[in-house]
Amino acid sequence: ISVVVIEHDTKFIFTLCDRVLVLVQGELLVEGTPDEVRGDPRVVEAYLGAPPDEVEHRIHAAEEAP
């Protein structure tokens, strides 16, 4: 069974889904596992606008937050 979830809360999506597709202006940018998508520099640049190391730090800090 496949379910399509459209959401911008990445923590929620990366926890819920085992496959993620990232779109930019309706075009496919990246497809992969949450770890592959999270670490892809194209996703970081398109959505977060920060260097990958800084983004990774932010993601881990958010995951550890209550």
Side-chain angles (χ1 to χ4, degrees):
I1 295 175
S2 296
V3 177
V4 175
V5 178
I6 300 171
E7 177 61 64
H8 288 94
D9 181 343
T10 56
K11 183 177 179 182
F12 172 72
I13 290 297
F14 291 153
T15 302
L16 175 70
C17 302
D18 52 332
R19 203 87 189 132
V20 178
L21 283 76
V22 177
L23 304 177
V24 173
Q25 297 183 353
E27 298 291 327
L28 180 64
L29 178 67
V30 176
E31 177 182 356
T33 66
D35 287 337
E36 291 169 340
V37 170
R38 179 184 297 132
D40 192 298
R42 295 170 294 177
V43 174
V44 172
E45 182 180 340
Y47 282 91
L48 303 174
D53 291 342
E54 182 179 331
V55 171
E56 192 66 25
H57 175 74
R58 290 181 194 175
I59 290 169
H60 288 299
E63 289 173 349
E64 294 172 0

